[in-house]
Amino acid sequence: MVGSSHEALHRIFQKDPTLLTKALQKVLHVPFPTPREIAALNVDLTEIEPVERRVDTLLRAETDEGTYLLVVESQGKVDERKRGSWPYYLSYLYEKYRCEPVLIVITQSSKTAEWASRPIRFGFRDWHSLTVRPLVLGPDNVPMIADERQAEKDVPLAVLSAMTHGRGPQAPAILESLAAALRTIDPDSAAVFVQFVDSCLADPQAKQMWRDLMTAIQYFWRHPLAEQVREEGREQGREEGREEGRIEERRETILRTLEWRGIPVPDSVRERVEECTDLARLETWAQRALRVTEPTELFTDE
């Protein structure tokens, strides 16, 4: 079943098509010509036969060297059936549009990236009738952007970094840098990027941390995703509008963040957090929990 993580991984290129060619040039070091124009095309490759074929994202790039079709596939895991469908996509698209197709696979998994990057060859050993060589964007080659200034210089690339690296101990710095960078762009674009990242984060702790960071961006909570977040909260028995509920949530966020980052929490720190009833102070501690190296640093200057 296609999930929100799968959709987010390729739809970001529909939001900002230039990000795709920049990724080819800067991440994969492929000398792809800079497009003069990029247009989205119909992704449905279904024929008259009762077999449905649909690519994730299809873009047409007009360059000084010719017209290319950029075929983007979001891949969550190893799937040997793609050995048949990917060559089909490329052959069909070339026949339909008479433009050179380029296959780009994006994934959050190093294992899947390694598998997807292997050439697909049809024919016998010394004479291949057809060879498909996917270009792969994943956690091993997309730059990890964990610096706020670097994120501000290229927000779409920072979004792609969060989408491919948003798990493990490095996630807090990546997500925090991106959250700061989003404040520097127009609210409508930022709200879309927020949704891409939220949909893509498979780690529940990373997703919750991202939503905690986004509480500071007020326009986010007017976005359709906000209603989804609130609905999930209601389903889990949360009472977001009550002061007591917000205080308890912040306590849990602080302790959960420290534990997720691998920082042992002594009883004295845990008790101080759990006994605090000052929401503003808990908010400060929650932000510090993303950066401290020792749990007692939560209480700096206090």
Side-chain angles (χ1 to χ4, degrees):
M1 179 181 293
V2 175
S4 58
S5 177
H6 173 278
E7 288 294 294
L9 276 174
H10 69 87
R11 285 187 182 275
I12 185 176
F13 298 119
Q14 298 174 21
K15 166 61 182 174
D16 186 353
T18 61
L19 174 60
L20 187 56
T21 54
K22 286 193 294 184
L24 295 181
Q25 296 165 348
K26 298 180 180 180
V27 177
L28 299 180
H29 305 292
V30 174
F32 190 86
T34 301
R36 298 189 306 272
E37 179 184 352
I38 297 182
L41 302 178
N42 190 337
V43 299
D44 193 348
L45 310 184
T46 305
E47 298 183 274
I48 297 176
E49 299 294 329
V51 177
E52 183 178 350
R53 304 285 190 180
R54 186 181 297 273
V55 299
D56 289 333
T57 289
L58 180 61
L59 304 170
R60 181 173 59 205
E62 303 285 351
T63 78
D64 291 335
E65 300 179 17
T67 301
Y68 295 90
L69 297 176
L70 303 178
V71 185
V72 184
E73 281 285 280
S74 172
Q75 195 65 28
K77 60 182 179 180
V78 173
D79 184 356
E80 291 299 332
R81 293 176 299 176
K82 295 297 185 179
R83 286 181 52 82
S85 57
W86 284 344
Y88 169 87
Y89 294 166
L90 301 182
S91 298
Y92 178 88
L93 289 168
Y94 179 78
E95 176 65 21
K96 180 176 182 178
Y97 293 101
R98 291 295 169 176
C99 301
E100 299 291 344
V102 179
L103 175 61
I104 300 103
V105 179
I106 179 170
T107 180
Q108 296 175 305
S109 164
S110 295
K111 179 181 178 181
T112 302
E114 191 277 331
W115 163 80
S117 63
R118 299 173 188 167
I120 301 171
R121 296 187 175 95
F122 292 158
F124 54 90
R125 185 177 60 185
D126 297 323
W127 191 272
H128 299 119
S129 302
L130 175 66
T131 300
V132 175
R133 299 179 60 194
L135 295 167
V136 182
L137 294 167
D140 295 327
N141 56 15
V142 173
M144 185 185 301
I145 299 179
D147 177 77
E148 182 177 327
R149 292 183 180 179
Q150 188 180 1
E152 290 176 358
K153 290 180 180 178
D154 196 334
V155 176
L157 189 59
V159 172
L160 184 59
S161 173
M163 293 168 66
T164 52
H165 294 284
R167 63 178 64 182
Q170 74 277 10
I174 294 172
L175 297 178
E176 187 178 32
S177 297
L178 176 58
L182 288 175
R183 296 186 179 93
T184 66
I185 65 175
D186 69 277
D188 289 338
S189 294
V192 175
F193 286 145
V194 166
Q195 187 170 13
F196 282 141
V197 174
D198 187 274
S199 298
C200 205
L201 292 173
D203 185 333
Q205 292 174 311
K207 184 184 288 286
Q208 185 59 52
M209 176 176 290
W210 178 242
R211 291 178 174 182
D212 290 340
L213 286 169
M214 290 302 97
T215 58
I217 304 180
Q218 296 302 317
Y219 61 78
F220 167 69
W221 299 107
R222 296 195 299 271
H223 193 272
L225 177 61
E227 181 56 34
Q228 173 191 331
V229 175
R230 287 193 289 268
E231 183 62 28
E232 290 175 1
R234 287 192 289 269
E235 291 174 359
Q236 297 168 8
R238 294 180 179 174
E239 299 178 351
E240 299 288 345
R242 297 179 55 186
E243 182 79 4
E244 182 179 347
R246 290 197 295 270
I247 289 174
E248 182 59 31
E249 183 183 4
R250 277 293 167 267
R251 291 170 179 162
E252 293 176 0
T253 296
I254 295 165
L255 298 174
R256 183 174 60 241
T257 299
L258 293 174
E259 292 170 354
W260 181 52
R261 294 182 60 211
I263 299 176
V265 181
D267 291 341
S268 58
V269 171
R270 184 180 300 275
E271 290 173 3
R272 185 166 178 180
V273 171
E274 291 178 346
E275 291 174 359
C276 182
T277 57
D278 186 331
L279 183 58
R281 180 171 296 174
L282 289 170
E283 291 279 5
T284 300
W285 293 352
Q287 292 296 321
R288 289 177 181 171
L290 297 168
R291 299 185 295 270
V292 299
T293 57
E294 296 290 338
T296 55
E297 293 177 5
L298 289 175
F299 316 126
T300 301
D301 302 329
E302 293 185 13

